[in-house]
Amino acid sequence: MKTTIYDVAKEAGVSIATVSNVINNNGRVGEKTRQKVLKTMAQLEYSPSVVASALTGKKTNTVGLLIPDISNPFFADIARSIEDRGNELGISVIICSTDNLEEKEKKYISLLIRKSVDGFILASGVKSLDLLEEVMEKKIPVALIANDIPSLPITTVTIDDFKGGYIGTKHLLSLNHTKIAMIAEHAWSNIQRINGYKQALLEQNVEPREEYFIKTEATIERGKEAGLQLLNLEEPPSAIFACNDLLAIGAIEAARELGFDLPNDLSVIGFDNTVLCRLTVPKLTSVSQPIHDMGKKVFDMLLDSDFTNQKTLFMPELVVRESSGKYKDTV
Amino acid sequence: MKTTIYDVAKEAGVSIATVSNVINNNGRVGEKTRQKVLKTMAQLEYSPSVVASALTGKKTNTVGLLIPDISNPFFADIARSIEDRGNELGISVIICSTDNLEEKEKKYISLLIRKSVDGFILASGVKSLDLLEEVMEKKIPVALIANDIPSLPITTVTIDDFKGGYIGTKHLLSLNHTKIAMIAEHAWSNIQRINGYKQALLEQNVEPREEYFIKTEATIERGKEAGLQLLNLEEPPSAIFACNDLLAIGAIEAARELGFDLPNDLSVIGFDNTVLCRLTVPKLTSVSQPIHDMGKKVFDMLLDSDFTNQKTLFMPELVVRESSGKYKDTV
DNA sequence: ATGAAAGCGCTAACAT
DNA sequence: ATGTTAGCGCTTTCAT
């Protein structure tokens, strides 16, 4: 049988309350007794049951992480940063890939509620706001990372997406591009990025063109489709700003297929600065999110009620690689 | 307060035992009572506590997944496949990125034991065999995926690594390459791949050369270093077989840096067939593991004692893309 | 400083 | 078919 607190108590000749106290460092234990208990705990290889402890109202030291897909490198990076912080704190992270499906979202959340997780970190766009409010009513902490629901008071860690869109576009503008297209996806963060893009254009008196703007899903395939569509335009753009790296990679594929030579005939920049950026040819210029810091921060905010419903904004940074270059009117 | 089984019992006018029975579908409940209980459960939005249930000896419906690094696409894929199966079964998966560090491995395992997880799935090379045996002594199920510890009787799902090494090499041989180098990493699976590689060479009377063989860590950087070393040889290889895609990508970078034109001057093939293969230029030929099937299988074997300590072997397949081509003696 | 005992929410005999 | 009750391993008053 598994050793319990009773075994330790008996062996050490003390009560279970005392053992409990030494486990939790709850004062009122004489130094001698403490040592004796510690020793027998070691002897018996006793390890306290989190399950039993949780039943008495203590934490489960487990949080749920909802992301669209763990096999997407961007989210895998987020997961890793959160997991690392969890490991430091002795808290386990349960992964939940929702594929942005409301059904999966619900299933995962209700299961994790039954498991009494200490909180939820959401990196996916939340489909079911009702569910989310239900969770918050139950006083289960919730925090968002790399996405926001502006309509809700909720703990959030994001980058300044407006600025992200702005600096990316500025970069292209500074390379003399004016025919700058944007491929975005449906997400709140993207709306801000789009606004930043438009702001940058307007500041240079460049009128955003309707046909240079595509909204689609965040996959390489869709990015390629969008790229194809853009580059087959009568007057194709000389630069494409993709709202995430996957879309950018798709756009690059499209460009290669159509015989464009990057960055001479076309500049492409991405967003997120994932590991993928260094794999593309040419290497992808991208707007970077400080994922590691963000993961740590969101975890800490989740657990510290001082931060409840606060919003933390990190600053994006442009990482210039080889996929963006000076505009040359070669046509 | 949270609704408990008592609230439901009282509201429905039955005993908690009856409620428990309808929750668990434990026969002996009249249809009328069952309906009544079901209804009040819904009314009260009752959701049974897994924690309390676990304390009475039932499962926690949680497993731990130990991998080297969730941000490595190969392992993210494994995680996803396991998570998917878990979701179907109502079982949660806790991610544990060990970085192949014994210290982390220990910390994760002992924490998860305290949490009474139902089992462990290990995708990382296990550093501490003692720890592993300790887990098995505690009768906690353990299963390995994509790696093996031949010295231990333990549930395992792998591919036939020997065959993987063999078919990759055969492919290169069939393209008339004879100067075939191999970049491997330290892992049991790689030993088998190496054996397969040697076997294929021997069958064609090609003598494996010492200088064409490098063992290193599984990162792009190391792959690049290895590639540089190989290609700077007096008589550089005409083909490189990397034991995983990361190494292959590094090798491709090295080749590009040195001005090699793939696949004309050099063929490179990888192993694992990760998403990265379609991102490289040229697209990477790679030996594929049926990860999705393997994830499902390992989960099922973990939970079904019929399979305890059995070893399941899946078959690798070669996915030919653009990075491997006919040998041309252009030098 | 330490111990006795109640209770957390549930399961599983055992009764009825 | 349904109810009673004794745990599961731990935390936490409340006594001593």
Side-chain angles (χ1 to χ4, degrees):
Chain A
M1 228 11 244
K2 199 180 173 305
T3 24
T4 72
I5 198 170
Y6 286 95
D7 304 322
V8 177
K10 186 187 290 176
E11 184 69 23
V14 298
S15 77
I16 58 165
T18 301
V19 178
S20 176
N21 280 336
V22 355
I23 292 171
N24 302 291
N25 273 309
N26 280 355
R28 27 173 129 276
V29 180
E31 193 46 34
K32 260 174 96 173
T33 332
R34 149 168 277 106
Q35 289 306 330
K36 189 171 49 184
V37 171
L38 249 19
K39 203 173 125 195
T40 55
M41 275 177 33
Q43 272 175 8
L44 273 50
E45 294 184 336
Y46 168 69
S47 89
S49 156
V50 174
V51 171
S53 156
L55 189 57
T56 71
K58 308 279 274 192
K59 308 242 164 211
T60 51
N61 293 321
T62 307
V63 302
L65 172 63
L66 271 74
I67 54 181
D69 180 9
I70 190 68
S71 63
N72 174 324
F74 177 61
F75 293 107
D77 275 351
I78 290 185
R80 180 64 210 255
S81 74
I82 288 170
E83 191 214 322
D84 281 347
R85 183 58 179 159
N87 186 38
E88 286 174 16
L89 301 170
I91 297 177
S92 308
V93 177
I94 292 179
I95 34 167
C96 312
S97 295
T98 64
D99 289 322
N100 284 319
L101 261 31
E102 181 162 0
E103 181 202 354
K104 284 198 180 185
E105 201 173 286
K106 283 188 173 168
K107 189 169 174 188
Y108 272 120
I109 291 182
S110 65
L111 177 59
L112 292 194
I113 289 179
R114 298 213 294 116
K115 291 195 175 170
S116 312
V117 292
D118 297 336
F120 288 96
I121 297 178
L122 312 184
S124 63
V126 183
K127 293 290 173 191
S128 167
L129 288 187
D130 298 355
L131 226 196
L132 190 56
E133 286 175 347
E134 198 183 311
V135 170
M136 297 172 76
E137 270 172 24
K138 290 196 197 322
K139 305 293 179 202
I140 304 175
V142 176
L144 305 186
I145 181 170
N147 83 100
D148 195 2
I149 306 175
S151 61
L152 246 50
I154 196 167
T155 312
T156 307
V157 172
T158 55
I159 53 156
D160 185 335
D161 284 295
F162 180 92
K163 186 166 179 199
Y166 183 84
I167 61 176
T169 311
K170 267 290 193 192
H171 169 65
L172 262 8
L173 251 9
S174 76
L175 293 169
N176 298 329
H177 293 276
T178 52
K179 292 179 285 183
I180 303 174
M182 172 163 261
I183 308 176
E185 62 164 319
H186 294 276
W188 166 256
S189 63
N190 277 232
I191 297 179
Q192 296 294 43
R193 291 175 197 178
I194 294 162
N195 286 338
Y197 155 81
K198 286 183 179 164
Q199 172 71 22
L201 289 185
L202 289 180
E203 285 183 10
Q204 302 280 322
N205 296 312
V206 177
E207 188 66 25
R209 300 200 207 177
E210 188 62 42
E211 71 269 30
Y212 281 178
F213 185 77
I214 295 181
K215 228 169 184 171
T216 183
E217 277 172 88
T219 67
I220 296 180
E221 287 70 27
R222 299 292 174 211
K224 185 170 178 180
E225 286 172 19
L228 251 18
Q229 183 179 329
L230 252 15
L231 298 175
N232 278 324
L233 247 32
E234 205 160 323
E235 188 178 13
S238 68
I240 298 179
F241 187 175
C243 276
N244 64 252
D245 290 342
L246 257 24
L247 290 172
I249 288 167
I252 290 180
E253 277 190 15
R256 181 175 316 118
E257 202 163 295
L258 296 178
F260 282 78
D261 175 36
L262 273 65
N264 293 318
D265 305 340
L266 176 75
S267 288
V268 173
I269 71 175
F271 210 112
D272 293 342
N273 192 37
T274 57
V275 284
L276 306 179
C277 293
R278 52 168 307 188
L279 300 185
T280 57
V281 178
K283 296 198 172 83
L284 186 64
T285 294
S286 188
V287 179
S288 131
Q289 309 199 34
I291 286 302
H292 204 268
D293 296 337
M294 290 166 71
K296 180 175 184 306
K297 184 72 180 177
V298 76
F299 213 132
D300 293 346
M301 289 176 78
L302 180 78
L303 301 176
D304 185 343
S305 53
D306 288 355
F307 290 105
T308 302
N309 295 352
Q310 285 190 203
K311 313 232 177 215
T312 302
L313 229 52
F314 280 78
M315 281 305 133
E317 267 174 43
L318 185 74
V319 179
V320 179
R321 294 197 180 80
E322 304 156 357
S323 67
S324 54
K326 277 244 186 270
Y327 173 65
K328 301 166 190 163
D329 196 351
T330 47
V331 191
Chain B
M1 229 12 246
K2 199 179 174 306
T3 27
T4 73
I5 199 171
Y6 286 96
D7 304 322
V8 177
K10 186 186 292 177
E11 184 69 22
V14 298
S15 77
I16 59 165
T18 302
V19 178
S20 176
N21 280 336
V22 355
I23 293 172
N24 302 293
N25 273 309
N26 280 357
R28 24 173 132 278
V29 180
E31 192 47 33
K32 260 174 95 173
T33 333
R34 149 168 275 107
Q35 290 307 330
K36 190 170 51 181
V37 171
L38 248 19
K39 204 174 125 195
T40 55
M41 275 175 35
Q43 273 176 8
L44 272 49
E45 293 185 335
Y46 168 69
S47 90
S49 156
V50 174
V51 170
S53 156
L55 189 56
T56 72
K58 308 280 274 191
K59 308 243 165 212
T60 50
N61 293 321
T62 307
V63 303
L65 172 64
L66 271 74
I67 54 181
D69 180 8
I70 191 66
S71 63
N72 175 324
F74 176 61
F75 293 107
D77 275 352
I78 290 185
R80 180 65 209 255
S81 74
I82 287 170
E83 191 213 321
D84 281 347
R85 184 59 180 159
N87 186 37
E88 287 174 17
L89 301 170
I91 297 177
S92 309
V93 177
I94 292 177
I95 34 166
C96 311
S97 296
T98 65
D99 290 322
N100 284 320
L101 261 30
E102 180 161 0
E103 182 202 352
K104 285 198 179 185
E105 201 173 286
K106 282 188 172 166
K107 190 170 174 187
Y108 273 120
I109 291 181
S110 65
L111 177 58
L112 293 193
I113 289 179
R114 298 212 294 116
K115 292 196 175 167
S116 312
V117 293
D118 297 336
F120 288 96
I121 298 177
L122 312 183
S124 63
V126 184
K127 292 291 174 189
S128 167
L129 289 186
D130 297 356
L131 227 196
L132 191 57
E133 287 176 347
E134 199 182 311
V135 171
M136 297 173 77
E137 270 171 25
K138 290 195 196 324
K139 305 293 180 204
I140 304 174
V142 176
L144 305 186
I145 181 171
N147 83 98
D148 195 3
I149 307 175
S151 60
L152 245 49
I154 196 168
T155 311
T156 307
V157 173
T158 55
I159 53 157
D160 185 334
D161 284 295
F162 180 92
K163 185 165 180 199
Y166 184 84
I167 60 176
T169 310
K170 268 288 192 194
H171 169 65
L172 261 10
L173 251 10
S174 76
L175 294 170
N176 297 329
H177 293 277
T178 52
K179 292 179 286 183
I180 303 175
M182 171 163 261
I183 308 175
E185 61 164 319
H186 294 277
W188 166 256
S189 62
N190 277 234
I191 297 180
Q192 296 294 42
R193 292 175 196 176
I194 294 163
N195 287 337
Y197 155 83
K198 287 183 178 163
Q199 172 70 22
L201 290 184
L202 289 180
E203 285 183 8
Q204 302 279 324
N205 296 314
V206 177
E207 187 67 24
R209 301 201 206 175
E210 188 61 42
E211 70 269 32
Y212 281 176
F213 184 78
I214 295 181
K215 227 168 185 171
T216 183
E217 277 172 88
T219 66
I220 296 180
E221 287 69 27
R222 300 290 174 214
K224 185 170 176 180
E225 286 173 18
L228 251 18
Q229 183 180 331
L230 251 16
L231 298 175
N232 278 325
L233 246 31
E234 205 160 321
E235 187 178 12
S238 68
I240 298 179
F241 187 175
C243 276
N244 64 252
D245 290 342
L246 257 24
L247 290 172
I249 288 167
I252 290 180
E253 277 190 17
R256 181 174 317 117
E257 203 164 294
L258 295 178
F260 282 78
D261 175 37
L262 272 66
N264 293 317
D265 305 340
L266 177 74
S267 289
V268 173
I269 71 175
F271 209 112
D272 293 342
N273 191 36
T274 56
V275 285
L276 305 180
C277 292
R278 52 167 307 192
L279 300 185
T280 57
V281 179
K283 297 198 173 86
L284 186 64
T285 295
S286 188
V287 178
S288 132
Q289 309 200 33
I291 286 302
H292 205 269
D293 295 339
M294 290 167 71
K296 180 174 183 308
K297 185 72 180 178
V298 75
F299 214 132
D300 293 347
M301 289 176 78
L302 179 78
L303 301 176
D304 185 343
S305 54
D306 287 356
F307 291 104
T308 302
N309 294 352
Q310 285 191 202
K311 314 230 177 216
T312 302
L313 228 51
F314 280 77
M315 281 304 133
E317 267 173 42
L318 185 73
V319 179
V320 179
R321 294 198 181 80
E322 303 156 359
S323 66
S324 54
K326 278 245 186 265
Y327 173 65
K328 301 164 189 163
D329 196 351
T330 48
V331 190

